Amino acid sequence: MPPARQTYDLVIAANRLPVDQVTAPDGQVEWRRSPGGLVTAMESVMQGRAGAWVGWAGEPGEPPEPFDEGGIHLHPLGLSAADVRDYYEGFSNDTLWPIYHDVIVPATFHREWWTSYQSVNARFAEAIAEVAAEKATVWVHDYQLQLVPALLRRLRPDVRIGWFNHIPFPPVELFAQLPWRGQLLEGLLGADFLGFQRQADARNFVRACRQLLQAQTRGDLVQVDGTDRQVRASAIPISVDFKGLEALSKQPEVIERARAIRASLGDPRVLMLGVDRLDYTKGIRHRLKAYEELLVERRIGPPEVTLVQVATPSRERVAAYRNLRSEIEQTVGRINGELSQIGSPAVHYLHHSYPREEMAALFLAADVMLVTPLRDGMNLVAKEYVTCRHDLGGALVLSEFTGAWHELHQAFACNPHDIEGLKQAILRAINTPTKDKQRIMRALRRRVSEHDVQRWAARYLAALAAAPEQALPEQALPQEARQ
């Protein structure tokens, strides 16, 4: 008789595991911690608890055997090449992603993609049910796994189920376009608590349930039809590891690297920086248009002012992303061809991802940070920039269509669709007196330090434990998170 599989009191489920498989030069394969706020948050949550993480290992094919890494039990889920194409690249990123981001590009609807999404979500639910202890807490993450809560509840009615949406949740007028809108809402209503980045997102979800399912709702509560269950939907915005990132930015080698970056760019008076995944939601084209017009109007220009745009590769097998990359690279080429000086490019375009140390140095080097998405659930880059500016230098230009703007409202706000308004925000960020910019940065840093990623995770778990009742403020945080 095979030994009983170990089970865990806390189970995290996300599309990806918190580690990446890396092959060393000698051919040795090892696992390395993935970058990102979610991994940092879950590490703090799992300290001292028996925790497991269910997710895809990142490569199509048979999954590796479950293993332990960094004190977390990792339970890899296998995805075939067809799963990656249909569930991930197709339904998740070519159907849901556009709908959830204001249909900036049209969504694509294919029934075979939906079938794959259902199948993969069912396998996630089965894997979670297998590793969850009796009455375990299960925390499901993001739009790829919206069917998991209800599927898991059927398999394991004893567990407490939470779901958190890292991206926006659309208005019902957009969500209603989805042919499978009812099944998605019913899938989410399998949870005890649903967390969103903004109150507007939570309200959109409740309204969708009321209009599309004819569900009874009251405030942030949704009554599940045919049961005595109520599901709470509320905003608990995610954050960054303030202490860890601030400590990194204070390291002498990072500070020296920031100086070296500025020197390599010719020590401009103003270094502007954009750091984004190469995604049509990030507003990179609008940002470049505003910058180009400022150059043409001679209100700024190299070598005094330059722009570094980091565009991390993303979803390059999806046609909309390939087209976006071509457009951006053509725009950068035209700007540099027409508006640069010899030895002083107007735009330094970098199509790479970088380690945390290099990003911290870039943040320290930048006088103006341009965070101008057309729609974003949060945008942690804005909070990372603020965290790294322990010197109180720099200025943050922030789109009002990010979740971050609702917390960092002292930043230089802009509507990225309004090119003239975006230009004015950039000029204000450059020309505001240093003393005033330091006062603004101090306020932004205070907000992020008081609402860091550990506090977010503690608040979420307290809300999940109390649902459908509301967690009282002092119940929401363990003592160490309140200090």
Side-chain angles (χ1 to χ4, degrees):
M1 187 173 176
R5 183 183 290 274
Q6 185 175 352
T7 57
Y8 298 85
D9 294 327
L10 174 65
V11 180
I12 306 299
N15 179 62
R16 286 292 301 272
L17 289 175
V19 292
D20 296 315
Q21 197 173 54
V22 177
T23 303
D26 61 1
Q28 187 78 17
V29 175
E30 60 183 35
W31 296 93
R32 288 186 190 164
R33 176 183 179 273
S34 302
L38 177 59
V39 177
T40 302
M42 295 304 99
E43 280 183 340
S44 66
V45 168
M46 287 183 164
Q47 283 176 3
R49 302 180 67 163
W53 189 308
V54 176
W56 177 41
E59 293 292 334
E62 287 297 312
E65 286 296 311
F67 61 100
D68 293 335
E69 181 72 31
I72 304 173
H73 178 74
L74 302 179
H75 189 95
L77 196 79
L79 296 183
S80 68
D83 292 331
V84 175
R85 181 191 65 221
D86 295 342
Y87 145 78
Y88 180 67
E89 294 172 349
F91 194 80
S92 294
N93 292 320
D94 218 358
T95 300
L96 294 176
W97 184 269
I99 292 287
Y100 285 44
H101 289 86
D102 295 354
V103 196
I104 295 167
V105 302
T108 305
F109 305 120
H110 288 307
R111 282 169 287 184
E112 61 269 27
W113 290 0
W114 166 245
T115 299
S116 179
Y117 186 84
Q118 289 176 293
S119 171
V120 172
N121 273 243
R123 279 152 44 203
F124 264 93
E126 290 162 5
I128 296 164
E130 187 179 338
V131 299
E134 186 178 354
K135 297 185 178 179
T137 295
V138 176
W139 190 351
V140 183
H141 288 270
D142 229 357
Y143 64 105
Q144 301 98 342
L145 303 179
Q146 291 178 91
L147 302 180
V148 166
L151 292 167
L152 179 60
R153 183 164 294 279
R154 291 188 203 120
L155 295 170
R156 292 290 304 275
D158 61 299
V159 301
R160 180 153 285 263
I161 304 168
W163 178 81
F164 185 80
N165 197 35
H166 292 259
I167 68 173
F169 195 89
V172 65
E173 292 79 7
L174 294 179
F175 185 79
Q177 293 181 28
L178 286 163
W180 311 279
R181 61 200 192 186
Q183 294 99 310
L184 289 167
L185 293 175
E186 288 165 355
L188 290 173
L189 289 174
D192 295 289
F193 177 73
L194 300 167
F196 297 87
Q197 300 280 27
R198 305 174 306 148
Q199 283 295 353
D201 298 317
R203 287 195 296 267
N204 286 344
F205 172 79
V206 172
R207 186 175 168 222
C209 291
R210 187 168 60 246
Q211 292 190 205
L212 302 177
L213 297 181
Q214 287 72 57
Q216 295 295 312
T217 67
R218 180 171 55 86
D220 58 2
L221 293 172
V222 180
Q223 183 74 40
V224 180
D225 188 43
T227 75
D228 59 357
R229 290 183 58 243
Q230 288 185 316
V231 178
R232 183 174 293 280
S234 189
I236 298 187
I238 197 171
S239 194
V240 297
D241 176 19
F242 186 88
K243 289 181 181 176
L245 189 53
E246 183 190 48
L248 176 66
S249 70
K250 287 180 174 178
Q251 290 181 2
E253 55 269 33
V254 171
I255 294 170
E256 181 53 40
R257 176 59 186 152
R259 291 196 195 99
I261 288 170
R262 292 188 67 93
S264 70
L265 297 170
D267 280 319
R269 182 177 68 85
V270 177
L271 170 57
M272 295 197 288
L273 175 65
V275 176
D276 310 87
R277 270 193 322 104
L278 190 56
D279 191 293
Y280 50 77
T281 66
K282 301 300 184 183
I284 301 173
R285 288 174 294 192
H286 298 64
R287 183 184 311 159
L288 290 172
K289 182 173 179 57
Y291 180 61
E292 182 178 17
E293 288 189 10
L294 288 170
L295 294 173
V296 169
E297 294 163 6
R298 304 197 174 207
R299 299 166 92 172
I300 60 173
E304 271 206 327
V305 177
T306 193
L307 168 65
V308 173
Q309 175 61 57
V310 178
T312 305
S314 176
R315 300 170 189 164
E316 297 194 315
R317 287 168 49 170
V318 178
Y321 290 80
R322 293 197 302 271
N323 296 339
L324 175 67
R325 179 180 177 182
S326 296
E327 287 181 39
I328 288 174
E329 290 178 354
Q330 288 172 14
T331 302
V332 169
R334 185 185 69 249
I335 292 172
N336 279 335
E338 296 176 2
L339 299 167
S340 293
Q341 298 181 11
I342 292 176
S344 301
V347 183
H348 300 262
Y349 175 73
L350 305 165
H351 185 55
H352 307 286
S353 56
Y354 289 96
R356 291 174 75 244
E357 293 80 5
E358 185 72 357
M359 293 311 307
L362 276 166
F363 292 148
L364 272 177
D367 301 292
V368 177
M369 185 78 213
L370 302 176
V371 180
T372 59
L374 308 178
R375 171 64 69 199
D376 219 333
M378 175 52 62
N379 195 295
L380 291 177
V381 166
K383 293 185 175 183
E384 290 170 349
Y385 177 71
V386 166
T387 299
C388 287
R389 295 316 301 243
H390 54 82
D391 60 348
L392 300 183
L396 174 63
V397 175
L398 185 60
S399 165
E400 63 193 46
F401 299 116
T402 63
W405 178 77
H406 294 268
E407 298 181 79
L408 306 180
H409 50 82
Q410 299 98 332
F412 295 91
C414 69
N415 171 1
H417 299 276
D418 174 10
I419 300 301
E420 193 60 41
L422 176 53
K423 288 159 59 180
Q424 294 305 318
I426 292 170
L427 291 175
R428 286 199 308 277
I430 292 172
N431 296 323
T432 293
T434 299
K435 186 177 180 181
D436 292 334
K437 286 195 280 194
Q438 288 176 338
R439 175 180 50 78
I440 292 168
M441 185 58 69
R442 186 177 290 109
L444 298 177
R445 283 175 51 78
R446 185 182 306 116
R447 171 69 192 191
V448 179
S449 68
E450 291 174 355
H451 296 81
D452 65 2
V453 73
Q454 288 81 16
R455 183 184 175 105
W456 166 75
R459 286 184 62 210
Y460 184 94
L461 288 173
L464 173 56
E469 301 302 319
Q470 285 187 326
L472 296 175
E474 283 306 300
Q475 291 176 337
L477 294 173
Q479 183 64 34
E480 60 271 17
R482 293 199 300 269
Q483 290 174 346

